Amino acid sequence: MFFLFGLTTREHLQFTRSATCRYCGRHAPQQVVQRRTKLSVFFIPLITLKKTRVQICTNCGGTSRLSGSGERALAH
Ligand SMILES: [Zn+2]
């Protein structure tokens, strides 16, 4: 008997906001994306192992991970 395990990462665009990019320094739309890494068995995602939010600059593509304080700053 064998099991087929794997990890799948899905991205969900949560919202886009206008902010100054820390990489290119331009005021450009920044996409806030949630990434979820799930453990899958026979290609069926079962358990969420990791959940992170990243901010992606639409101008240069620079990606930065949002920490807990970064997420709170977005709420204002
Ligand atoms: Zn940028």
Side-chain angles (χ1 to χ4, degrees), residues 15-31:
F15 57 89
T16 305
R17 68 183 184 129
S18 202
T20 305
C21 175
R22 69 165 72 166
Y23 298 104
C24 63
R26 284 205 170 173
H27 197 75
Q30 310 285 315
Q31 292 180 328

Side-chain angles (χ1 to χ4, degrees), residues 2-74:
F2 84 103
F3 292 98
L4 195 58
F5 292 101
L7 292 175
T8 50
T9 302
R10 297 244 166 102
E11 290 192 346
H12 298 275
L13 175 66
Q14 295 200 307
F15 57 89
T16 305
R17 68 183 184 129
S18 202
T20 305
C21 175
R22 69 165 72 166
Y23 298 104
C24 63
R26 284 205 170 173
H27 197 75
Q30 310 285 315
Q31 292 180 328
V32 176
V33 172
Q34 187 173 60
R35 285 183 180 158
R36 280 191 197 145
T37 303
K38 290 192 171 189
L39 175 72
S40 57
V41 180
F42 293 108
F43 305 105
I44 302 166
L46 292 178
I47 306 164
T48 302
L49 297 177
K50 202 166 125 189
K51 217 155 88 167
T52 56
R53 287 171 99 187
V54 293
Q55 180 175 299
I56 303 167
C57 176
T58 55
N59 184 49
C60 68
T63 304
S64 55
R65 196 171 162 181
L66 291 176
S67 61
S69 60
E71 289 187 39
R72 277 193 294 278
L74 291 174

